[in-house]
Each structure stands twice: as C-alpha cells, then as structure tokens.
Amino acid sequence: MSKILVIAEHLGGKLNSATARAVSAAVAVKGEAIDVLVLSDAPDAIAAEAAQIDGVSRVLTVARPENAHPLAAVLAPQIAKAAAGYSHVFVPSTTFGKDIAPRVAALLGVAQVSDVMSVEAAHTFKRPIYAGNAIITVEADAAHTVVATIRSASWPAAATGTGSAPVEALAIDVALPAHTRFIELKQGSSDRPDLQSASKVVSGGRGVGSKENFDIIFKFADRIGAAVGASRAAVDAGYVPSDLQVGQTGKIIAPELYMAIGISGAIQHLTGIKDAGTIVAINKDAEAPIFEIADFGLVGDLFKIIPELEQALG
Amino acid sequence: MKILVGYKRVVDYNVRIQVKPDGSGVVTDGVKLSANPFDDIALEEALRLREKGVADEVIVVGIGPADLTAHLRNGLAMGANRAIHVTTADAVQPLTAARVFLKLIEKEQPGLVILGKQAIDDDANQTGQMLAALWDRPQATFASQVEIADGKATVTREVDAGLEVIEAELPAVITTDLRLNEPRFIKLPDIMKAKSKPIDTIEFGSLGVEAHDHLKTTHHAAPAKRSKGVMVKDAAELVAALKQKGLL
Ligand SMILES: Cc1cc2nc3c(=O)[nH]c(=O)nc-3n(C[C@H](O)[C@H](O)[C@H](O)COP(=O)(O)OP(=O)(O)OC[C@H]3O[C@@H](n4cnc5c(N)ncnc54)[C@H](O)[C@@H]3O)c2cc1C
Ligand SMILES: Cc1cc2nc3c(=O)[nH]c(=O)nc-3n(C[C@H](O)[C@H](O)[C@H](O)COP(=O)(O)OP(=O)(O)OC[C@H]3O[C@@H](n4cnc5c(N)ncnc54)[C@H](O)[C@@H]3O)c2cc1C
C-alpha cells in the first residue's frame, strides 16, 4: 500500500495553499496514509494549520534553526531521511518545490516526476511537456520511491477546517551543510490578492507601454478585487517585478477569471493560463492570437476600454 | 577557474509542437532545433565572467546523438573555449544527465557549473538540482543576478514571493532564469574561428554512468483545447456578460 509524504510549503509562519493542493494529489493516490512534513525553525503554528487539512493522517515537524529559510541544500537531506518508509514524496510545483524536490530525488537515487496534472494510478501520472503542448503519461518504477512535484493549477485545495490530525515532532539525525546561506528575501509588499491563489487576475502586457501606465492595470484590478499578473515582455521591460510573470517560465495559475490586457497571447504565456475558468482578452489588434482562446474578446485601445469598464461597473 | 556550461539542443521555441496521431511522441522530424534558451543565457553568463577575469575557461557540454556537433559549434562561436560532447543515441533523463555532469566535474574540476533552469522540451527543471545533490555542493537555482567574489557566489533568485538572495561557496551549481542576461548574437568571423576550437567526444558508455531510468513515458496526447469564445462589441457588453456569469 502507498504511504505519501507531502512537504509543506510555508512563508512567514503561514502555510501556503499549494500544500493543500498537493494533499489533493496525494488523496488521488488512494494510499493508506498521508503525512505532512513541516520543516521550520518554529513549526508549531504551521503544523496546526496543516493538521486541519482533510485527508491528512499525521503532521510531522522538524524544528531546527537551520530550517528558518527554505535552502534546498539544507532541507533536502532531512526530507530524504524522513522519506524512509514512504512510497511517495509529493512537493508543490512552486519555486520552493522545484528547487528542493530534484535534490531529494537525487539523494534517493530516483527520477522525479515534474508537474503532476493527474494521478492515473499509484505509479502512473500525467504531466505536461513542451510548454503544455503535449501531455505525457509516465509510469514510475514501483520498486522505488516516487518523488513528484504537483502542478498546483491542476488540483483544488483539499478542504480545510474539519481535519484534526495528530502532530508529532520528528528527530532527524543528519549533518547539514553550511556552504549555502540565506541573505534576504525582497518581497513586493502588497495588500492585493496573491497571484497564485486569487480567483480573479488582471494581467498587463507590453501593450501597457510603461511602468507608469501600469497603474491603470493596478487600479482596475483593485476595483474588481483581482490579483495583478504580467507577460514576460512587461516584466523584461521593467513595468512590474518578476514575481508577477505568468507563463511557462513564470507562474502557472488557474483563476476563475483571467483578463489579458495588451497581451498578444504567445504560447509561453498561454501555458500559464490554460486552466483558467474564463479568459477575457482586450487587445487593439483583432488578429492577436490571444483571441483564439479567449472566452470573451474585445478589440480596442486598452486606455480607452479600461475607463469604460470602470464606468460600466457602476 | 573553469566554468562548465550545459548546452542542450531542443526544438526551437517558435515551433508549434504536434503530437503524433498514434501517441508515440511529438513530431521532431524536420523541425527547427536550437540551443535551449536558458542554456544560451548560461553560456552568456559564463562568458561575461571570463571577460571580467573571474574565469579563464568556459566549456560547453552537450549530451546527445552524433549530429550534435554543429550545435556545439554554435556554443564555440558564441565564445566557449572548448566543447565536450557525450555521445548517446538514447534520450537521457535528468538524473542520468546529472550523473554525466558529475563525471565531467571529476575530470575537469570546475569552480562553477551553470545550467539552464529548465529545458523547454521536457520542462523537467531538475538537472542542476540533482547535480548539486550528487556533487554535495550548493545550488542557486532560477538566478537573475550573479556576483562572484572571494570564493563565493552571491545569487539573486526569482522565487514566487519575490527576489531571494543567497550566498553559495564555490564550487557550486547555478541555474539560469530569463532575466539573468541577454545572450549575444553570433558573428560570422566567430563561426570561422569556432571551426578550429576543440570538441572532445566521449562515448556515454565509457563514463560508467548507470542509466537505469525509473520513468517510462507510455503515451503522448495533445492537450485539451480551449475553444474560441465570442467577441463583444464594447465595455458595457463585456461587463454584462461577466456579471451574468457571476464573475464580477
Ligand atoms: C524560453 C521562453 C520562455 C518564455 N516564458 C514566458 C512566460 O513565462 N510568460 C510570458 O508571458 N512570456 C514568456 N515568453 C515570451 C513570449 O514568447 C512573448 O514574447 C511574450 O509573452 C510577449 O508578451 P506580450 O504579449 O506582453 O507582448 P507582445 O507580444 O509585444 O504583445 C503586446 C500586445 O499588446 C497589444 N497592444 C499594444 N498597445 C495596445 C493598446 N493601447 N491597447 C490594447 N492592446 C495593445 C498589441 O496588439 C500586442 O498584441 C517566453 C519566451 C521564451 C523564448
Ligand atoms: C518522449 C521523449 C523523447 C525524448 N527524446 C529525446 C531524444 O531523442 N534526444 C534527446 O536528447 N532528448 C530527448 N528527450 C528529452 C530528454 O528526455 C530530456 O533531455 C531529459 O528528460 C532531461 O530533461 P530536461 O532537459 O528537461 O532537464 P532539465 O532539468 O529541464 O534541464 C536543465 C538543464 O540541464 C542541462 N541539460 C540537461 N540535459 C542536457 C543535455 N542532454 N545536454 C546538455 N545539457 C543538458 C541544460 O543546461 C538544461 O538547461 C525526450 C523527451 C521525451 C519526453
């Protein structure tokens, strides 16, 4: 029978919702147990949150000062050790998980399945390649631990609030390297919804034209309570910081509403929004490829249309 | 200091990928192949470090079939000192690629290894991290800024929450993100010069790397398509439509 270890992602003492999505994927394996592992310098509050996720059997905590920041070189040996006895190790496919999971896999001497979109059977998964232009079915060798990253946009967050899994401290006896050190995290402070979990996202592209002009996108997003995203071209041009990039090499998101404004619809961008509920495109070029996949398209100048939208909202 | 750079050949990012009707793979016959964009960025970064005097030799590495030579010549034309071609007719999975790099590291003793954060064909995003684990050295993935001084790399990483800065003792593995630099274009005289630069060919089998890959790809499918929706005539109609769907 399968036993799955899900690695919790957290920041600032709070559990990231990508963890509950990875739990959903773990539930789909239909195993006998799902344990969540919290590595932190102060894991208690995070563990208490994880314990409430439906389907979780146990929450395991490793409290070490070295775990204050998510350094792959420090966390991976602990996870590899903790993985003993588990058939699967699941990690969210966020920058946190992408950084850590392959290091764990290599320590265990196994391959990794990246970006799991669906669980077909305990050792059979679907994942995207070529920026989502092909979906492959992969079979992992059942004789080895499966290390996988879970594509958040493909999985709903497991319900939270009803569960009450026991929390147990784990002592992991493993030497940790000192060759890698955390210096700082520069975070854009924002009261806006988080891009990765927001139900509405308004994104701007090169068509917005400048950093100053991007205010019109921020203002409109605030008006409808949306998170703000951007194309690579907008990030490269310095209109917005890199953590707003949506796409193959940015964030893969699945909001209920996605509004692409002044974005042409390059395949690398579309990869990031394939699972969105409703896609709206606003572009002055009627031939822009974004209209091929948009549920609602509106041709025109964004600087004229956005004020009109605000007015129409009443 | 030597820098080893991963230089993988992939289907060009402008190619529209087609899945074969029988699900056995994607169509790669006759399509344009190019360097993985992240590897061009890796090579550019290595060249800049050499130009700054931080490194003295840049080596591009390709793992792949016999006809990879022309691709490696591009890396040499861009400015690498020499190339290593590990020849294999089989597709290599990231763990195997990492094991190959480790063998080359043992031989070359580089101070830095720069790989792409992901190859745009398989989008695995694994090789650099796996290599760092096997080598037992630091990793700095998704780099958008790299500074090397006093035997350390200070690397700014593009993470979901923003920009993270870490410090890694050398030797280390760095994987590149898009904004690390803009790769230079290859100039005609450089292509001529590259012809005389050495390419070491190493037969994959001679490295003693285990290639027991634990993953089998059993099927390829085209992704579910989103169908074209409707065009609305103005802002009022759009707002009405979204309100009707309960989205506004
Ligand atoms: C390896 C690789 C990875 C990549 N990863 C990503 C990724 O993760 N995410 C990503 O987004 N891209 C990515 N790209 C880049 C991608 O190929 C495109 O270059 C990019 O998405 C284009 O951004 P854009 O649509 O904003 O700009 P453009 O393609 O320049 O489009 C701008 C659009 O704005 C419209 N416009 C201009 N002015 C107005 C106006 N006043 N009103 C209305 N419309 C207007 C224009 O008609 C045009 O359609 C990647 C590329 C590569 C090679
Ligand atoms: C069905 C299928 C068939 C395939 N057929 C082939 C094939 O015939 N030939 C083939 O070469 N590949 C083939 N591939 C791709 C091959 O499997 C991938 O190269 C492998 O899985 C590594 O994944 P990645 O490159 O996405 O790794 P990533 O971890 O995303 O790569 C990151 C970085 O590692 C370095 N790197 C990785 N691999 C190499 C390499 N080979 N040479 C130099 N640097 C490297 C590069 O710097 C790269 O940017 C195939 C893939 C699939 C799914």
Side-chain angles (χ1 to χ4, degrees):
Chain A
M1 266 308 254
S2 305
K3 272 183 81 180
I4 305 120
L5 185 66
V6 174
I7 310 305
E9 173 170 358
H10 53 88
L11 182 65
K14 287 208 176 70
L15 193 68
N16 183 310
S17 68
T19 310
R21 294 174 191 270
V23 169
S24 288
V27 169
V29 174
K30 302 196 175 74
E32 61 180 316
I34 299 171
D35 294 347
V36 174
L37 177 64
V38 181
L39 301 141
S40 167
D41 54 341
D44 294 352
I46 304 156
E49 269 190 86
Q52 292 180 16
I53 302 174
D54 273 7
V56 172
S57 319
R58 283 190 306 166
V59 178
L60 308 171
T61 59
V62 182
R64 286 178 78 148
E66 296 95 326
N67 293 344
H69 303 288
L71 292 170
V74 170
L75 300 186
Q78 302 175 64
I79 296 169
K81 218 32 192 293
Y86 289 92
S87 57
H88 298 64
V89 177
F90 281 6
V91 194
S93 191
T94 52
T95 53
F96 163 81
K98 288 173 179 174
D99 189 40
I100 282 164
R103 193 154 181 136
V104 174
L107 292 176
L108 296 173
V110 301
Q112 175 188 301
V113 185
S114 294
D115 300 318
V116 168
M117 307 168 64
S118 84
V119 175
E120 305 291 304
H123 291 87
T124 309
F125 310 94
K126 286 191 176 167
R127 64 166 299 250
I129 59 171
Y130 288 104
N133 284 300
I135 310 298
I136 55 172
T137 307
V138 276
E139 263 176 43
D141 187 346
H144 297 275
T145 313
V146 176
V147 175
T149 59
I150 307 302
R151 185 177 181 272
S152 298
S154 300
W155 300 91
T160 192
T162 50
S164 58
V167 178
E168 297 168 23
L170 206 61
I172 294 183
D173 182 23
V174 52
L176 300 179
H179 53 45
T180 314
R181 289 172 291 271
F182 173 87
I183 306 287
E184 62 171 327
L185 176 65
K186 299 177 203 164
Q187 261 181 298
S189 61
S190 167
D191 318 327
R192 293 192 175 85
D194 168 53
L195 176 56
Q196 247 155 343
S197 52
S199 62
K200 296 176 214 168
V201 173
V202 176
S203 275
R206 198 192 324 256
V208 177
S210 70
K211 190 172 176 177
E212 293 68 40
N213 287 353
F214 227 87
D215 273 350
I216 192 171
I217 301 288
F218 283 112
K219 277 231 275 314
F220 180 63
D222 290 347
R223 179 71 198 275
I224 65 167
V228 172
S231 70
R232 174 187 172 189
V235 175
D236 283 1
Y239 303 170
V240 288
S242 59
D243 52 302
L244 297 194
Q245 181 174 315
V246 172
Q248 180 186 14
T249 49
K251 287 181 176 148
I252 312 271
I253 56 174
E256 286 162 33
L257 173 64
Y258 186 80
M259 300 185 73
I261 303 181
I263 291 178
S264 63
I267 195 84
Q268 294 87 1
H269 188 79
L270 301 185
T271 304
I273 57 170
K274 277 206 170 97
D275 299 308
T278 297
I279 297 177
V280 172
I282 298 171
N283 197 302
K284 67 177 182 190
D285 174 10
E287 304 295 317
I290 188 84
F291 289 125
E292 292 304 313
I293 58 109
D295 299 286
F296 296 104
L298 178 50
V299 178
D301 184 343
L302 69 96
F303 299 105
K304 187 167 159 284
I305 288 173
I306 293 179
E308 287 171 2
L309 286 172
E310 284 170 346
Q311 206 169 15
L313 281 169
Chain B
M1 178 172 93
K2 279 188 204 175
I3 304 179
L4 225 52
V5 173
Y7 201 62
K8 188 181 172 187
R9 185 179 64 176
V10 297
V11 173
D12 187 86
Y13 77 93
N14 280 312
V15 171
R16 268 197 182 263
I17 295 294
Q18 304 283 346
V19 175
K20 291 180 188 164
D22 66 357
S24 65
V26 300
V27 178
T28 50
D29 288 343
V31 305
K32 186 179 177 208
L33 301 174
S34 305
N36 179 33
F38 292 95
D39 290 354
D40 268 334
I41 294 170
L43 177 53
E44 176 65 35
E45 196 65 19
L47 296 175
R48 290 185 188 185
L49 289 170
R50 193 187 61 197
E51 283 154 8
K52 278 193 217 155
V54 173
D56 43 35
E57 190 179 29
V58 173
I59 308 164
V60 284
V61 177
I63 309 164
D67 69 352
L68 207 63
T69 316
H71 157 73
L72 290 170
R73 289 263 172 240
N74 286 338
L76 295 173
M78 223 173 116
N81 300 75
R82 60 190 172 94
I84 299 176
H85 179 185
V86 177
T87 55
T88 168
D90 304 324
V92 284
Q93 291 184 3
L95 185 58
T96 306
R99 286 175 171 155
V100 167
F101 273 98
L102 186 66
K103 289 285 177 193
L104 302 179
I105 285 169
E106 285 164 7
K107 187 155 164 266
E108 301 286 349
Q109 300 288 323
L112 194 60
V113 178
I114 313 182
L115 303 183
K117 81 163 176 182
Q118 73 198 70
I120 60 163
D121 48 4
D122 217 22
D123 283 335
N125 198 328
Q126 300 175 8
T127 309
Q129 297 88 313
M130 288 181 159
L131 172 62
L134 300 177
W135 192 17
D136 202 11
R137 294 303 309 165
Q139 71 187 48
T141 53
F142 327 143
S144 67
Q145 205 182 326
V146 173
E147 270 159 56
I148 309 277
D150 310 323
K152 286 182 315 213
T154 304
V155 179
T156 303
R157 309 176 54 231
E158 292 195 359
V159 296
D160 291 338
L163 296 172
E164 184 190 75
V165 183
I166 64 170
E167 197 177 80
E169 286 168 15
L170 302 183
V173 178
I174 292 175
T175 76
T176 59
D177 218 317
L178 290 169
R179 276 166 286 274
L180 182 56
N181 60 51
E182 247 183 79
R184 65 196 65 189
F185 288 105
I186 298 170
K187 292 190 226 68
L188 204 56
D190 299 330
I191 296 175
M192 300 308 291
K193 262 193 269 172
K195 287 194 174 139
S196 59
K197 290 184 179 175
I199 300 182
D200 286 340
T201 303
I202 302 175
E203 166 59 36
F204 175 80
S206 74
L207 286 172
V209 166
E210 288 174 81
H212 57 87
D213 291 326
H214 302 133
L215 297 182
K216 263 203 324 255
T217 299
T218 54
H219 187 71
H220 286 67
K225 270 219 176 72
R226 291 189 76 102
S227 47
K228 192 174 157 70
V230 296
M231 300 302 285
V232 293
K233 66 174 192 313
D234 58 23
E237 193 184 332
L238 179 57
V239 168
L242 294 177
K243 276 193 171 154
Q244 207 203 338
K245 290 193 96 181
L247 292 166
L248 286 181

